[in-house]
Amino acid sequence: MTSGWAGNILRVDLTEGKVTSEPLPESWQTQFLGGSGINDWILWNEVPPEVEPLSPENRLIFGVGPLAGTLIPLGSRTHVTTRSPLTGIFGDSNGGGFWSTMLKYAGYDHLIIQGKADKPVYLWITDDQVSIRDAAHLWGQDTYQTVGTLKEELGEEVAVAAIGPAGENQVLFANIMFDRYRAAAKTGAGCVMGSKNLKAIAVQGTNSVTMARPQEVRPLAEELRRRLDINQSRGIASFAKYGTTFLTTLYNELGCNSVNNYQDTVFQGVEDIHPDKFVDEFVQHNISCSVNCPVHCAHHWKIPQGPYKGEVGSKIEYIIMDSMGMHLGVSDLAAILHFQNLLNKQGMDATQTGTSIGLMMELWQRGIITAADTAGTEFEWGDVTGIEETINLIARREGVGQLLADGTLAAALKIGRKAEKYVCHSKGMTEVEDVRGFPGWALGYAISNRGADHLKAHGQIDKQQRHDVSEKLFGVPDVGNPTSVAYKGKSAKYHEEFEAIINSTGVCMMNALSLSIKFKPEEAVHMADYAPILSVVTGLEMSAEDVQQCAERIVCLEKAYNARLGLSRKDDTLHGRWMNEPCPSGMGKGMKAEDYLEQCLNEYYAERGFDPTTGLPTIKKLQDLGLDTVAQELVSRGVI
């Protein structure tokens, strides 16, 4: 068995109450690396189109990569993969914290949950001792309470993944929380976990990860730590001080925030939620989610005054600053922090929650809905009391929450009256970065395999206008021009593959991307640079071409999974204002996706070697990547 990986898959059948350990095939390691890549392969083989998202036969797959839990910095991520109950298609999400390391140290790279327990249970994993335990006393608790209860019962060092009331009530965008503050959000993994009557997974591992050539790993790890120094990268420096909240002001400068449900892209009240205000008035101290990460981009915070005085929490993301702040007309930073805690406790994705409430606010503003449509709940911009009430109603599926619990697009379709024109989405997934003035980002949203998303093919080259990095990677400076249409297909392909490698190796996405945007371009860390790192950790001699082919294989497998469900080029598109209303402000003022998206898609499919008519991988492309059985099944189903 090669090093880096623990070498085992833990499978839990909740219907049968059966736990088994299976060896991780070495061929999977070389083809898909780990994390998201191997998760994808398991999903392809075990969840065909006939298995519905909330069927007991759907799989909930947790995976950590070969770099997680090693000396390599940033190795702290857990990837969760399933068929999404929110969109009905490929679904995955990613969370940080110590849970991934604990699973690895317990001896497992992947955990597959299948079946459905006949009553609420939790899973207790401590090295090779695994048990399914009664969770009656946990059912109904929020995630913070669940983590606290299990740590009290099992020990403070235990890492816990848990769902809240939203997951129990099968809100379609329920998430999984790792140790209270780290979310595997998007796509409804918490809903699938709730549908299986699985409340939590507690893990304690006491082993270590073997590295093939530790004497060579150490200098590589130290070099990476040096490059993560705040003086070497604007992105790293910003993360170290602010976390992702620095994007609030950066995006306001560019004009890609979502304000009042995408009615504007520049927030006039940005000074009230400025990242400096967060750091100066709320932050207690910085923390890391990995023992080997020098960035410490998370924060413990405390609200100093007002109605939420004394409330404490950890971490705050840009996505919450927008989805629960600017998107809803809220400029009260303390309220946004409070909303974060509330969403974490209930176990709900911030983006879908925010876009659902934002939809209702705009429909209310335009007189399309009234109190008669909302069971008496009012939806005024900036109404923090109403927002909190609605969050709780969604989690319980009560009142207007029953309407919103199936997601923003579903709510609009149920309301009718052309409400869907106010929903910005791709493949049923909403997002709050407004991308219509930025072709590269818009293309990334359109092609994303899990629906509109900022973490599938969303690089930082155009955000930071790095023409030098564009020149180095693509031979042209154009990718560094945010509003240019040229070469965005080339950029999307690269970043889609780069981010597949990041998610499959188990390292942190945002800081890994920032390593590719350096003040000193010669020190940047790009996709090819993971080849020597993987080689010394795992013992597999991997070239840059091997790494790139793994990434391409992973991306194409996800696209094949959706193709098997009937998706094609027609679905690689955007909806709502992103598509057909000119951007009202900012750098991309006057632009809209319908003016350039087809051109970008044509370039992207050409770069990928896909069929330009269907937007799907060809038989030859799949065979060249060693996905012969995938090609055979798509042919047998008449897909390609």
Side-chain angles (χ1 to χ4, degrees):
M1 176 61 67
T2 49
S3 302
W5 296 275
N8 298 298
I9 299 170
L10 180 63
R11 184 182 296 271
V12 178
D13 188 326
L14 294 173
T15 301
E16 299 295 330
K18 184 179 179 182
V19 176
T20 55
S21 177
E22 307 165 4
L24 178 68
E26 291 192 29
S27 61
W28 294 10
Q29 298 167 8
T30 56
Q31 287 183 297
F32 304 105
L33 296 178
S36 69
I38 290 178
N39 280 9
D40 293 349
W41 186 237
I42 295 169
L43 188 76
W44 169 269
N45 285 289
E46 300 192 19
V47 186
E50 295 76 21
V51 173
E52 295 296 328
L54 296 182
S55 162
E57 293 310 307
N58 193 10
R59 303 297 195 257
L60 186 64
I61 310 161
F62 297 77
V64 299
L67 300 184
T70 70
L71 292 177
I72 300 299
L74 307 180
S76 65
R77 309 299 292 190
T78 303
H79 213 80
V80 186
T81 308
T82 190
R83 183 175 176 190
S84 168
L86 178 67
T87 61
I89 61 173
F90 172 84
D92 67 354
S93 53
N94 192 282
F98 292 92
W99 195 92
S100 63
T101 302
M102 278 296 187
L103 186 69
K104 194 87 162 282
Y105 289 172
Y108 308 101
D109 300 288
H110 297 269
L111 166 63
I112 304 172
I113 307 292
Q114 62 193 66
K116 177 180 180 178
D118 58 9
K119 61 181 181 179
V121 297
Y122 75 92
L123 192 62
W124 171 220
I125 304 168
T126 172
D127 294 338
D128 58 354
Q129 301 298 309
V130 182
S131 58
I132 302 170
R133 297 189 170 188
D134 182 82
H137 64 304
L138 303 174
W139 205 255
Q141 289 189 352
D142 67 37
T143 61
Y144 289 12
Q145 293 168 332
T146 301
V147 171
T149 300
L150 288 176
K151 284 181 175 289
E152 183 178 334
E153 293 178 0
L154 305 173
E156 277 298 319
E157 68 280 6
V158 170
V160 180
I163 60 170
E168 295 176 7
N169 294 320
Q170 295 178 42
V171 173
L172 296 192
F173 47 92
N175 63 24
I176 299 171
M177 297 301 304
F178 296 102
D179 288 332
R180 297 186 179 93
Y181 303 117
R182 299 288 181 157
K186 299 277 189 190
T187 73
C191 176
V192 174
M193 191 161 159
S195 75
K196 296 181 178 299
N197 275 332
L198 181 61
K199 177 64 176 180
I201 306 167
V203 186
Q204 181 182 8
T206 62
N207 302 304
S208 59
V209 178
T210 301
M211 292 177 288
R213 302 199 294 274
Q215 72 280 6
E216 296 178 52
V217 173
R218 290 183 184 279
L220 267 178
E222 287 304 312
E223 175 62 16
L224 282 172
R225 291 174 71 88
R226 186 186 70 78
R227 294 189 188 189
L228 285 164
D229 185 274
I230 62 173
N231 297 312
Q232 296 293 318
S233 166
R234 172 186 171 187
I236 297 296
S238 296
F239 280 123
K241 184 174 182 179
Y242 303 111
T244 59
T245 63
F246 82 94
L247 295 173
T248 306
T249 46
L250 173 61
Y251 284 5
N252 225 46
E253 294 169 10
L254 294 175
C256 58
N257 284 319
S258 173
V259 181
N260 290 16
N261 197 47
Y262 319 99
Q263 293 184 66
D264 205 346
T265 61
V266 175
F267 188 54
Q268 299 305 316
V270 73
E271 291 303 315
D272 294 326
I273 58 171
H274 198 285
D276 282 327
K277 181 180 178 72
F278 170 61
V279 170
D280 294 342
E281 298 181 18
F282 297 87
V283 170
Q284 301 291 294
H285 57 86
N286 282 45
I287 58 174
S288 169
C289 68
S290 165
V291 292
N292 292 319
C293 179
V295 181
H296 295 79
C297 67
H299 310 82
H300 277 316
W301 51 259
K302 184 176 182 179
I303 298 176
Q305 59 189 2
Y308 313 109
K309 182 178 179 179
E311 184 173 346
V312 297
S314 182
K315 201 168 177 59
I316 182 75
E317 300 285 2
Y318 161 78
I319 287 297
I320 292 178
M321 298 288 278
D322 196 344
S323 63
M324 302 308 299
M326 296 176 283
H327 190 78
L328 304 181
V330 175
S331 57
D332 182 339
L333 185 51
I336 297 170
L337 291 169
H338 172 69
F339 292 154
Q340 181 209 27
N341 267 349
L342 184 57
L343 288 167
N344 286 352
K345 289 177 180 179
Q346 299 286 16
M348 284 163 56
D349 175 48
T351 301
Q352 279 293 322
T353 304
T355 56
S356 294
I357 297 173
L359 168 68
M360 300 300 281
M361 286 181 169
E362 181 160 3
L363 297 179
W364 186 274
Q365 167 196 328
R366 297 183 180 280
I368 296 172
I369 61 171
T370 66
D373 302 294
T374 65
T377 302
E378 298 184 354
F379 288 92
E380 300 287 354
W381 296 113
D383 178 7
V384 296
T385 301
I387 292 168
E388 178 164 356
E389 176 190 351
T390 305
I391 291 172
N392 290 324
L393 288 172
I394 294 172
R396 297 194 301 263
R397 279 189 172 268
E398 294 177 357
V400 72
Q402 182 66 34
L403 170 69
L404 302 181
D406 289 342
T408 311
L409 179 60
L413 293 173
K414 289 175 186 174
I415 291 168
R417 303 167 226 174
K418 300 182 179 179
E420 67 270 22
K421 71 180 285 188
Y422 302 108
V423 180
C424 291
H425 74 95
S426 176
K427 303 180 180 74
M429 180 73 71
T430 58
E431 188 55 273
V432 290
E433 291 165 311
D434 196 310
V435 296
R436 59 190 132 166
F438 306 93
W441 305 358
L443 176 62
Y445 278 17
I447 62 173
S448 169
N449 293 319
R450 66 178 184 179
D453 180 68
H454 63 293
L455 292 175
K456 283 293 186 181
H458 188 40
Q460 297 187 31
I461 295 171
D462 46 359
K463 280 183 184 178
Q464 299 191 30
Q465 301 176 62
R466 292 297 299 271
H467 299 86
D468 55 343
V469 179
S470 173
E471 187 79 50
K472 178 178 180 178
L473 285 176
F474 309 115
V476 291
D478 304 63
V479 174
N481 180 352
T483 59
S484 168
V485 176
Y487 298 98
K488 293 305 192 283
K490 185 184 290 287
S491 173
K493 177 182 183 293
Y494 175 84
H495 283 102
E496 208 174 17
E497 292 173 359
F498 188 13
E499 289 156 36
I501 290 299
I502 292 170
N503 287 331
S504 296
T505 55
V507 298
C508 168
M509 171 74 72
M510 301 308 293
N511 283 306
L513 285 176
S514 289
L515 275 171
S516 69
I517 309 291
K518 302 283 289 181
F519 290 139
K520 299 177 181 179
E522 67 276 8
E523 291 195 344
V525 178
H526 299 296
M527 179 164 50
D529 297 304
Y530 282 84
I533 297 171
L534 285 164
S535 295
V536 298
V537 170
T538 68
L540 295 176
E541 293 304 322
M542 301 193 75
S543 67
E545 291 73 21
D546 293 332
V547 170
Q548 187 277 328
Q549 192 170 66
C550 279
E552 189 174 12
R553 186 178 296 116
I554 292 164
V555 171
C556 287
L557 180 61
E558 291 179 8
K559 292 187 183 299
Y561 187 86
N562 281 342
R564 193 168 62 171
L565 290 166
L567 276 66
S568 63
R569 177 170 180 150
K570 70 183 186 306
D571 301 288
D572 287 348
T573 190
L574 303 177
H575 297 270
R577 287 191 168 99
W578 291 339
M579 194 67 176
N580 50 42
E581 286 190 22
C583 186
S585 53
M587 184 178 291
K589 184 177 181 178
M591 297 179 68
K592 58 185 187 299
E594 70 178 359
D595 294 335
Y596 57 73
L597 186 57
E598 289 303 308
Q599 177 182 337
C600 291
L601 285 169
N602 287 338
E603 182 186 316
Y604 169 76
Y605 296 138
E607 290 289 332
R608 279 241 166 265
F610 285 4
D611 183 314
T613 302
T614 65
L616 300 179
T618 62
I619 296 172
K620 183 178 186 305
K621 169 61 67 175
L622 294 170
Q623 290 174 336
D624 288 346
L625 293 170
L627 296 174
D628 300 70
T629 59
V630 173
Q632 291 168 12
E633 181 165 350
L634 293 184
V635 169
S636 70
R637 289 179 178 267
V639 175
I640 58 175

